[in-house]
Amino acid sequence: MLIKTLLYTGVRVAELVRIRIADVDLDACRIRITQGKGGKDRIVPFPAEFKETLALHMEAQRRAGAVFLFESSWKKPYSERGVRKMLTRYTQAAGITASISPHKLRHFLFTWLKTQGIDDALIQPYSGHATRQSLETYSRLARDPEQR
C-alpha cells in the first residue's frame, strides 16, 4: 500500500510519512500535503481506481487507532529511512536488481504523465515544483527513453 501511494501520488518520502488519515479526501480522490518541500502545502490527486484500496487501508488504520496513514505497530509514523528500507526489501524480494528509491518512483510517475501528453501546467502544482522549468527533466526523459 505504501509503495502504491508513492507511485500513484508522486509525493516525496518526507511528505508520505507525515500524511494523516484526515488529510485524505476519498470523495475527491486527493491528499492534502502539509508543509511539503519548502514549507509549502499542496493538494495531490490519486487515481479513482486507487480509491477503494486506499479506503480499505484507511479503515484498517482507523480500527487500529492510527492517526497517520502509515504507522508502525508502535503507533508512530514510519521514518523516511524505514520507508527506504521497506522499498529495498520489496525490490529484492521481487528479484529486481536495479536500485529503486522512493524518489525514482516519483520521477517515474512524472515522466509517465509527460508521455501521456499531460501539460506541465497541470503537473507542476501536483509535483510541488516551484516552476515549470524544473519539470524539464521529465520532458527530456519522456522524449528519450534511453535516459531512463
Side-chain angles (χ1 to χ4, degrees):
M1 174 54 75
L2 187 141
I3 293 171
K4 284 182 181 182
T5 304
L6 282 170
L7 188 57
Y8 289 148
T9 64
V11 296
R12 295 172 178 95
V13 71
E15 297 165 341
L16 177 86
V17 298
R18 290 193 315 266
I19 297 172
R20 296 174 180 270
I21 294 171
D23 293 335
V24 180
D25 181 346
L26 290 171
D27 294 329
C29 293
R30 61 188 190 185
I31 299 172
R32 182 179 56 244
I33 302 298
T34 306
Q35 296 291 300
K37 187 173 180 180
K40 295 179 183 171
D41 297 348
R42 70 183 193 284
I43 301 294
V44 176
F46 58 84
E49 299 80 20
F50 184 51
K51 181 177 173 176
E52 185 177 344
T53 304
L54 187 56
L56 291 170
H57 174 76
M58 288 171 59
E59 185 55 34
Q61 289 293 92
R62 279 189 191 105
R63 280 195 308 272
V67 172
F68 291 91
L69 188 57
F70 299 104
E71 285 187 3
S72 71
S73 55
W74 297 303
K75 305 284 185 248
K76 292 186 179 191
Y78 287 122
S79 67
E80 293 176 44
R81 185 174 177 204
V83 170
R84 287 186 180 90
K85 281 183 163 184
M86 263 187 259
L87 184 56
T88 298
R89 280 195 312 269
Y90 291 143
T91 56
Q92 288 171 346
I96 299 170
T97 56
S99 171
I100 298 179
S101 67
H103 209 75
K104 279 188 182 178
L105 295 177
R106 177 177 164 81
H107 285 295
F108 175 80
L109 172 66
F110 297 135
T111 301
W112 182 81
L113 289 171
K114 287 298 296 178
T115 63
Q116 301 304 301
I118 307 297
D119 188 73
D120 286 351
L122 295 172
I123 297 173
Q124 186 215 339
Y126 179 18
S127 70
H129 285 118
T131 65
R132 288 188 202 170
Q133 287 76 22
S134 58
L135 297 173
E136 196 169 305
T137 299
Y138 306 118
S139 296
R140 198 171 48 253
L141 289 173
R143 284 190 308 268
D144 186 5
E146 292 298 315
Q147 291 185 18
R148 289 184 217 154

